[in-house]
Each structure stands twice: as C-alpha cells, then as structure tokens.
Amino acid sequence: MRDRHGNLVDVGDIVRVLEIAPEIIESLADDERPHIQSMLNEEYEIDDLPEEGKVSVSISWEEREGHTAHGGLYLLSHEFELVRKGGTDGA
C-alpha cells in the first residue's frame, strides 16, 4: 500500500489524515461525527490493511466516565501521508 506521495506504508506506520470523504462524515451518527472530523490533519498508527487499497486508523474517546467509544477510518492512498515508519522516530 502506498500513501499520496507514493511511499510504502504498512501496519504500525504513523500517517497523517489529509482528507475525509464528505459522504463518510454525513453518514456518521451525530455523537460520533465530531470525533471522526477531529481526525483530519492528525497523526495515527495504521492498525490494519483491511482490503486492497485501504489502510485503517482508529481512535477512542470517553463518552462518559467509565465508558469508552471507538471509531476510525478506512483511508485510500490520496487521503493520507506517511509521517514515520514503524511507529517510532525513524527506526
């Protein structure tokens, strides 16, 4: 899998979310939408390569004390860029 600049990426690499398709945002529940929108321009570790041409990144947030919610995105190559390999500072 490659990012928008042609860099090879894999599980564990850190990427920056550059785009979120408007139809994805529109399809989200009202309580989930602001959390997913906040992923734009932020860095996340690739947690999976779920299908050909996509990477998966995830987030968690506290809904209320003691209750955590999870969400994430499947991103196409043009929607993200590699920040660093292997989840470390260049190692």
Side-chain angles (χ1 to χ4, degrees):
M1 178 71 196
R2 294 185 183 270
D3 74 352
R4 100 163 12 184
H5 305 292
N7 299 305
L8 282 172
V9 297
D10 206 346
V11 172
D13 291 348
I14 304 299
V15 297
R16 179 175 294 112
V17 176
L18 300 174
E19 294 181 36
I20 303 173
E23 58 270 17
I24 298 298
I25 297 299
E26 293 166 5
S27 72
L28 297 171
D30 290 343
D31 59 340
E32 185 178 15
R33 188 174 298 119
H35 300 286
I36 299 301
Q37 285 177 309
S38 74
M39 295 178 78
L40 192 60
N41 298 315
E42 297 298 330
E43 298 175 7
Y44 298 91
E45 183 175 337
I46 295 174
D47 52 35
D48 194 13
L49 302 174
E51 56 189 72
E52 184 71 29
K54 294 182 181 177
V55 300
S56 172
V57 296
S58 301
I59 60 169
S60 298
W61 62 91
E62 189 171 343
E63 284 285 315
R64 58 187 183 281
E65 190 171 335
H67 295 276
T68 303
H70 306 276
L73 293 166
Y74 285 179
L75 299 169
L76 301 172
S77 291
H78 69 276
E79 296 174 322
F80 70 94
E81 66 185 359
L82 178 66
V83 174
R84 65 184 170 273
K85 297 293 290 178
T88 63
D89 293 321

